[in-house]
């Protein structure tokens, strides 16, 4: 365990970080993606302070899931690495995590509001609203701040029979979106969807401030077209 | 009838789907365009889950207008195919249909509001507001949902002496815009116009919330500059 | 007079129309630019219905200022040609005109509001607000509509000692911006500035709805930095 | 002192001005960047009226810090040169200055409001709000206007133990943002961050008008992750 150079894992993470930039989800070096190898007990993540577009597989850092120690790599890992680790530890069903500061998703996070489901674009991706975390306590901020950022995400799904396909992301209050999926690439795809959902919701409420969420049957129908045993979207 | 491989029809549909992506009207795989051959009793449509930009003529699926069965193609058709079929059956004057999740048109659809005509850009394209469908009933959602989505569009134009040139599209409540024209390419051109109209209307009402529609004579004059027997726009 | 093929004039107009598209000021075929040769008594303008980006010098149409008749060219001129002609006839100091449907300038036009001067970017270009025309009467709409569209622009500057450098454009109510300058290229540069001024003003009032215009001395100082005998901006 | 051709300084300033354009922070010729050589007592700045994207090292003008006289170059310097000079004289810790008319930062400046810290993206860059200057007096506008524009910026930080890392920029009321750093390139990077902060804040308050600033501990934690002796962001 925790041996080797994890070439394929690092290349996948580099490509996902490049895609964050190509999809217009970051400005400067904000944003990062990671992917886990649960058998090896490691996850690979973007290095700190290097723009997403420039990350190569050789820059990626591999960390131990157990203690966060560096297993491979010369660079300092993203300062958000403890957040990713806390998410992987708390949500054992997921394989990749992405974090961006995309404009509208971050604006909703700064407004400390969950994104209500106002249409089928949203319903295609989330079974409920895009949730938002509680604010961190002063103690959490003063202590292991980045790990606590991951813990409040995990807290959102405690005791719920968490299904990552039904809730593939969340907004961290005053910060921005984190998304996940089976791989880093899948997490980045969700990050793009969350930005679109967030922008649509902002424009919708600007046009009609009193608009409420769509009815449950429509939400459920759209979600189950794409997810779960009854899905009939895409190629078999 | 319903024989042959419909090469030209499929190529036209592939090009129109590519154009949806090139015009910035979709994110990811959302959006699709189709075109009908009424003599052959078939329409060709985008395959499900394949990004618009990547669709080639070989990916396009040809379906029977009568029963929606596959006449040509190896892929599963767009999950919105029953919507397109219902529109072709209900509006016999049209030749192509486009559907996008473009941002402002979708925001108006999510706000469940018709787009009022606030200026000549709108009047150049629609003889009235851009209409919005009623919400689907719980029964319609639980049943043949996609076909019902097309039926509520058709319902908008019942008993009116429908002229596709006067009303080249509609917003589906909580979902997004559908547009049409003589061909798939023409439907995509309208989709771009609807997005521009929708964005202009949102900005106009942000600047001046109480602004009402333009006067009927101005609307009529602009519309008839471009459409109908008195048109004098474009090359003869 | 009115002889020859006006090659240089047509090429200048084609380039200005191309620039309208390159600057992102039009969607589809909306928008046009023209330039006048006052000695020859002609102006050259974009043909109708051809996208701005595709216009070449051979497509451009040359019209007589006096009666609007075609002096050179095989295409039908822009349907807005009578508007340009009315502006050239009414504002004898100008050499080029541009018309766009750029998003924010058109939204202000649709809101039927002049753009107040909220900052130095605006003051650098206009000595006052960006004016908006009165609505056309039903008679004007039913009659020579396009010429009347130009006449209401000219009306804005009647009796004022009009200086095209101080007021290089206006918004036509419910329609969109027209701008002018010594050449078609200069008019397009103003069109880009008007769009920026319009977007800035919309965002400013969204942040602070009660914000009023800047003080007159600041407006005057900025305007005269760039225009008139005391200008000290740019290279000598 | 003040001798030589300052090749490296001019090239750095040209590259920073090009980057202003590449980052989408200016329209037309608005915007400029400069860098100082404090030992030589000179600063190099963009020439007036030349688009940022086109500036080469040969176009850049070198001015004396003491009196603003031209030390090197054939062009007229940016009309904002006296503003830059006043900032360099008042804030002796800084090495480069950038000025843009980027859309959202300029809208906040036009609204004459400081940008409150609504999230961690802001807290990563500024230890407090992005401050806004007082309005200039009529006397200041009529006199050495550009120098006064710099002086009101310096005034913001008087008597405060100014640290350029904690407050790397400000909004000039009714005008737009000025930013700074150790170099012209660093100042442009801050200009891009300020635009992002400004856009995020506008969208956040559109979603939730009553949203207040983040709590001080969270602000402090994020700021000190990236700045000062306890920083742990980026590569060592």
């Amino acid at each position: 365990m925790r041996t080797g150079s994890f070439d394929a894992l690092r290349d996948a993470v580099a490509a996902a970080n490049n895609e964050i930039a190509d999809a217009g989800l970051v400005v400067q070096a904000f944003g990062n993606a990671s992917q886990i190898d649960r058998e090896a007990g490691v996850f690979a993540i973007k290095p700190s302070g290097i723009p997403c577009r420039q990350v190569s597989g050789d820059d990626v850092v591999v960390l131990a899931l157990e203690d966060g120690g560096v297993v491979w790599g010369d660079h300092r890992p993203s300062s958000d690495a403890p957040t990713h680790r806390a998410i992987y530890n708390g949500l054992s069903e997921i394989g990749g995590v992405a974090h961006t500061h995309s404009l509208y998703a971050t604006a909703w996070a700064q407004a400390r509001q969950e994104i209500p489901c106002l249409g089928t674009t949203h319903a295609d991706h989330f079974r409920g609203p895009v949730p938002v975390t509680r604010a961190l306590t002063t103690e959490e901020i003063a202590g292991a701040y980045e790990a606590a950022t991951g813990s409040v995400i995990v807290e959102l799904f405690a005791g719920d029979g968490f299904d990552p396909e039904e809730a593939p992301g969340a907004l961290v209050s005053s910060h921005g979106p984190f998304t996940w999926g089976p791989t880093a690439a899948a997490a980045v795809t969700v990050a793009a969807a969350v930005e679109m959902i967030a922008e649509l919701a902002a424009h919708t409420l600007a046009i009609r401030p009193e608009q409420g969420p769509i009815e449950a049957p429509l939400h459920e129908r759209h979600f189950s077209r794409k997810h779960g045993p009854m899905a009939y979207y895409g190629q078999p």
Side-chain angles (χ1 to χ4, degrees), chain A:
Chain A
M1 293 296 169
R2 298 187 194 177
T3 58
S5 56
F6 305 99
D7 290 0
L9 183 68
R10 287 185 290 109
D11 286 348
V13 167
N17 278 285
N18 300 160
E19 175 61 20
I20 288 178
D22 290 346
L25 299 172
V26 288
V27 169
Q28 300 178 351
F30 290 114
N32 41 70
S34 70
Q35 187 168 310
I36 196 166
D37 178 337
R38 291 203 180 262
E39 281 198 31
V42 301
F43 67 103
I45 193 165
K46 179 181 168 290
S48 184
I50 296 183
C52 288
R53 182 161 278 128
Q54 296 169 20
V55 174
S56 74
D58 287 346
D59 300 325
V60 169
V61 190
V62 181
L63 304 176
L65 181 61
E66 195 178 333
D67 60 8
V70 174
V71 173
W72 192 97
D74 297 325
H75 289 86
R76 191 187 276 183
S78 166
S79 57
D80 292 324
T83 311
H84 290 240
R85 193 165 74 87
I87 297 172
Y88 286 124
N89 276 319
L91 306 178
S92 60
E93 300 85 347
I94 68 175
V97 170
H99 171 48
T100 79
H101 285 213
S102 69
L103 280 163
Y104 283 91
T106 301
W108 280 93
Q110 293 195 162
R112 301 181 179 181
Q113 297 200 351
E114 65 178 24
I115 308 177
C117 178
L118 300 175
T120 62
T121 313
H122 181 131
D124 283 335
H125 289 94
F126 280 76
R127 198 162 202 160
V130 181
V132 64
T133 64
R134 65 167 172 82
L136 293 176
T137 65
T138 304
E139 289 70 33
E140 288 168 331
I141 292 166
Y145 166 67
E146 288 84 4
T149 298
S151 298
V152 290
I153 291 176
V154 173
E155 206 179 292
L156 284 172
F157 304 105
D160 253 308
F162 170 70
D163 179 339
E165 218 177 316
E166 298 188 357
L171 305 176
V172 172
S173 191
S174 302
H175 190 147
F178 284 79
T179 54
W180 44 81
T183 61
V188 173
T189 298
V190 177
V194 167
E195 177 61 9
M196 188 187 183
I197 289 167
E199 183 168 359
L200 282 172
H203 295 334
T204 301
L205 294 175
I207 292 168
R208 192 177 187 214
E210 69 276 19
Q211 181 65 48
I214 63 172
E215 292 73 16
L218 181 60
H219 195 148
E220 185 62 22
R221 174 83 194 210
H222 258 266
F223 184 79
S224 60
R225 288 211 313 182
K226 285 198 155 187
H227 305 277
M230 308 295 287
Y232 56 98
Y233 178 88
Q235 301 303 322

